Amino acid sequence: MGENWYSKSNETIIPGNPDRIKAKWDPLQYLNLAQYLKVFNEYPRAFNPRVHGPYCPWRYYGKRDLHLGDVKLAEIPAWIARRDKTPMGVYQGGIRTFWKFYRAYLDNKKPNLIWYTQIFVVASLINFVFFAMPDRKQYKWAKYH
Amino acid sequence: MMNKFALSLVSNRISPSIIGFRPFSISNTYFQSAPFKSKTNDQSCVAEEKNEKVLRVEDSLKDLSSVKWRTEFNGKRLWPHDQWPERDLVNYPPYKLREAPNPVRWYCVPESWFKFFYEKTGVTGPYMFFYGLLVYGFSKEYIVLWYDFTEYLILAAAVITVVKKLGPSISDAFRGWHQDEVGRYNSVVNNSKAMAGKMLHSYEESLERAKSIGALAEARKDIINMGLETSYRERMKQLYESVKRRLDYQVALQNARKDFERTNMINWITSEVKKSITDKQEKDTLQSCINQLRQIASQQRSLNS
């Protein structure tokens, strides 16, 4: 090691300095899978910490566009055309959706089980629409409605 | 990701911490000028940084490694938005932990949907939509009424009643346990604060008592002085009484002498005079007195008539 490891004036060699500790907390970190996931592990192109501050994954940092509720029915195709439909854009949108859900129901001081109920309801709806309804068509009481 | 960003704000090189300067760069690991080589031991877990070059948004911020940003000025901590005038705090406000989750109706439908449809359909819009969907499903036989339908109805009723009755109490229990755990950490600080306050109070009390010691000493001095005065006055009184007693004795002595002389003289004189009175003198005086009386009586009679 360098100078006295117990030196109080030289802050870089004080034991416990996180910048100089390279031992990892979790053994899985030694696999270093982040090098293969670099594409997914980057900030968006439009993020500038000098303007936006610390990164919030639930936020869209591009140019502001209309909310879906404020868009007129005639302008919906144009509105959809403005979206970023590349795989990277879709991936980032999905990540943002998840973080919005997290922030809405889990990132607070008084959480409850609404997030669980919503996932349950959506899953049961998917099951009903795509699996149960085709099954039940055999057991219909009438042929024409 | 956030960890990396936070790490970048900490210095990676040996720097004097006397002044409040820190070498700043967006991602310190990506922008390193001459790497500092210290005497490293191979057996330690402290390793050198490798120069990893990755093209990022910070291409325009290439030479930030030489820029030094102040972390404090005049003893006050400087924050990034103090030094970055282009920080947009209005559209991108800083992160704040929320107090409660988004409000929700029927435990799964968010309120924002109800607010969105309020202008177009009013209050009953979403309700009519969902009940209408149900009725549509029944009428068009998308929801087939088979034998398990009762099961689902009863299940729904049971779940709703259980959640409504036991939900609040269970949530209170969980929050209580959580609050106990949090309180175990907070109580350490609060107890030390309270103890510090109590010790300060006791120190202040002792200081006040120190002030009152002077008053006590003065009181004791006053008591002693009062006793001295009392004894002085007593002795003065005794003195006065003794002197007066002696003087009174002398006065009484003189008076007694004079009294004795006077009485003796009077008695002697009267006795001698009485002895010298003869019978003839007595008769003569008697006659003269009677004559005087007759005169007076005749005068009185002449005055009255």
Side-chain angles (χ1 to χ4, degrees):
Chain A
M1 288 195 246
E3 315 281 331
N4 315 329
W5 63 270
Y6 52 81
S7 168
K8 282 180 189 170
S9 56
N10 198 348
E11 63 184 17
T12 55
I13 56 175
I14 289 168
N17 188 359
D19 291 336
R20 297 187 90 220
I21 292 170
K22 293 302 169 203
K24 306 195 178 182
W25 271 113
D26 195 54
L28 279 172
Q29 287 175 304
Y30 283 104
L31 292 171
N32 201 3
L33 301 169
Q35 63 186 331
Y36 310 115
L37 299 165
K38 272 239 170 68
V39 184
F40 305 103
N41 205 26
E42 284 176 359
Y43 293 134
R45 194 86 201 158
F47 172 66
N48 185 0
R50 297 184 64 148
V51 175
H52 306 128
Y55 181 65
C56 299
W58 59 83
R59 275 222 173 99
Y60 179 62
Y61 287 108
K63 193 165 174 296
R64 287 282 178 88
D65 201 0
L66 284 172
H67 205 58
L68 179 57
D70 303 330
V71 119
K72 309 280 179 217
L73 279 165
E75 293 165 11
I76 280 176
W79 185 84
I80 289 167
R82 275 180 259 147
R83 300 281 115 181
D84 183 13
K85 293 175 280 297
T86 63
M88 200 61 204
V90 172
Y91 169 73
Q92 281 176 354
I95 295 285
R96 260 180 274 129
T97 314
F98 164 76
W99 279 109
K100 273 185 194 149
F101 179 78
Y102 178 84
R103 189 154 157 77
Y105 297 108
L106 288 154
D107 191 20
N108 49 51
K109 291 185 190 171
K110 293 187 181 164
N112 49 24
L113 288 171
I114 284 165
W115 58 275
Y116 186 80
T117 324
Q118 285 184 341
I119 292 164
F120 195 85
V121 165
V122 169
S124 54
L125 274 174
I126 289 166
N127 176 62
F128 180 78
V129 168
F130 295 109
F131 299 100
M133 260 174 38
D135 275 347
R136 297 298 172 109
K137 279 190 175 144
Q138 305 154 32
Y139 308 108
K140 281 204 279 193
W141 293 102
K143 197 167 160 196
Y144 300 106
H145 300 97
Chain B
M1 287 204 281
M2 277 174 93
N3 200 15
K4 255 199 225 166
F5 180 68
L7 273 177
S8 69
L9 292 172
V10 179
S11 73
N12 234 338
R13 293 176 279 277
I14 291 169
S15 60
S17 52
I18 304 158
I19 329 167
F21 280 114
R22 282 179 185 279
F24 174 84
S25 64
I26 291 282
S27 52
N28 227 356
T29 55
Y30 300 131
F31 296 99
Q32 257 200 334
S33 52
F36 185 82
K37 295 246 193 272
S38 58
K39 294 176 217 161
T40 49
N41 195 1
D42 286 329
Q43 287 175 5
S44 68
C45 57
V46 170
E48 291 172 15
E49 256 91 38
K50 296 185 187 98
N51 281 350
E52 292 176 330
K53 227 190 148 224
V54 176
L55 286 174
R56 295 283 311 280
V57 154
E58 299 84 6
D59 290 347
S60 59
L61 310 166
K62 257 180 251 178
D63 293 326
L64 270 185
S65 51
S66 59
V67 177
K68 304 237 183 298
W69 300 89
R70 303 186 79 127
T71 54
E72 61 178 33
F73 179 71
N74 281 346
K76 269 179 74 179
R77 179 87 167 83
L78 282 182
W79 298 105
H81 53 265
D82 291 334
Q83 303 177 52
W84 295 341
E86 57 262 31
R87 173 88 170 88
D88 189 357
L89 287 165
V90 175
N91 296 322
Y92 303 97
Y95 172 71
K96 252 189 168 173
L97 183 62
R98 303 180 74 220
E99 284 285 339
N102 286 0
V104 140
R105 273 196 232 188
W106 296 335
Y107 221 76
C108 54
V109 175
E111 279 277 350
S112 54
W113 295 10
F114 285 79
K115 261 200 296 184
F116 175 72
F117 286 111
Y118 179 75
E119 291 163 29
K120 303 273 157 50
T121 61
V123 171
T124 53
Y127 292 102
M128 297 305 296
F129 174 71
F130 287 113
Y131 292 134
L133 264 185
L134 261 182
V135 171
Y136 175 69
F138 286 126
S139 81
K140 290 280 264 186
E141 284 239 86
Y142 292 126
I143 302 167
V144 178
L145 296 171
W146 205 237
Y147 62 89
D148 52 2
F149 186 68
T150 29
E151 191 183 308
Y152 298 146
L153 266 183
I154 292 161
L155 177 69
V159 163
I160 286 163
T161 42
V162 164
V163 167
K164 280 201 171 303
K165 302 290 182 209
L166 301 177
S169 57
I170 290 167
S171 76
D172 286 342
F174 277 113
R175 286 196 215 291
W177 295 336
H178 179 63
Q179 205 61 39
D180 292 343
E181 280 294 317
V182 169
R184 284 165 65 76
Y185 289 92
N186 288 339
S187 61
V188 172
V189 170
N190 293 340
N191 291 351
S192 48
K193 276 188 194 173
M195 281 208 286
K198 280 186 192 170
M199 283 166 79
L200 285 170
H201 187 68
S202 66
Y203 295 149
E204 281 165 10
E205 260 183 38
S206 57
L207 285 170
E208 281 177 27
R209 272 189 228 133
K211 279 187 208 163
S212 67
I213 287 164
L216 266 176
E218 265 190 53
R220 286 191 208 113
K221 279 185 205 162
D222 288 343
I223 286 162
I224 288 163
N225 283 336
M226 283 202 283
L228 284 171
E229 225 179 285
T230 311
S231 59
Y232 174 74
R233 280 175 191 228
E234 278 176 8
R235 283 170 196 171
M236 285 295 278
K237 187 174 155 205
Q238 282 173 13
L239 185 78
Y240 169 79
E241 278 172 3
S242 62
V243 167
K244 190 156 183 298
R245 231 177 113 224
R246 280 170 180 79
L247 294 174
D248 284 347
Y249 169 73
Q250 294 298 327
V251 166
L253 191 70
Q254 283 181 12
N255 288 344
R257 197 185 287 276
K258 279 185 193 164
D259 191 42
F260 174 74
E261 286 173 359
R262 282 193 197 120
T263 50
N264 199 21
M265 195 62 109
I266 288 164
N267 287 341
W268 182 66
I269 289 169
T270 49
S271 67
E272 286 294 314
V273 166
K274 278 182 183 163
K275 272 189 224 161
S276 71
I277 293 171
T278 57
D279 282 336
K280 191 186 181 280
Q281 279 178 339
E282 210 176 324
K283 280 184 190 164
D284 285 342
T285 47
L286 261 173
Q287 200 62 48
S288 66
C289 290
I290 289 164
N291 293 336
Q292 278 180 15
L293 278 170
R294 279 188 191 141
Q295 267 185 352
I296 290 164
S298 68
Q299 280 177 8
Q300 285 286 341
R301 229 182 265 153
S302 67
L303 276 171
N304 285 346
S305 64

